[in-house]
Amino acid sequence: MNIDIRKSIINNFKDSTTSDIKESIESSIKDKEEITLPGLGVFFEILWNNSNDNEKENILNLLKKGL
C-alpha cells in the first residue's frame, strides 16, 4: 500500500485556519515526536516552494543561526 504523505498532509490541513496550522506546528515541536517530522517537512517544502529568493535566503540564515 502506497501512501502519499504530501497529499495526505495537504488534504488534512486544506481547510485549516492559520491558528490551526500554528497550533499543530507548535504542538509537534513541543511533543518532540518523530512521527510528526514528515508533516513538518511537508510544511517546510510548501514554505520553501512559495518563497522568493530573498525569503529563501532569510530561511537559510535562520536555519544556520539555529544550528
Side-chain angles (χ1 to χ4, degrees):
M1 180 167 135
N2 289 334
I3 298 173
D4 188 330
I5 293 173
R6 283 178 185 85
K7 285 182 184 177
S8 179
I9 297 296
I10 291 167
N11 190 47
N12 286 341
F13 284 93
K14 70 180 177 183
D15 295 323
S16 297
T17 65
T18 54
S19 294
D20 293 336
I21 296 167
K22 179 181 178 181
E23 182 179 321
S24 180
I25 291 169
E26 289 178 345
S27 174
S28 295
I29 293 169
K30 185 183 90 176
D31 293 344
K32 297 183 180 183
E33 298 220 12
E34 302 258 336
I35 197 164
T36 62
L37 291 177
L40 292 173
V42 172
F43 283 171
F44 181 81
E45 181 180 45
I46 292 168
L47 173 67
W48 187 262
N49 287 338
N50 288 284
S51 297
N52 64 37
D53 289 341
N54 289 333
E55 292 165 332
K56 287 179 180 178
E57 191 65 31
N58 189 39
I59 292 167
L60 291 170
N61 288 328
L62 288 169
L63 286 170
K64 179 63 178 165
K65 181 180 176 182
L67 295 173

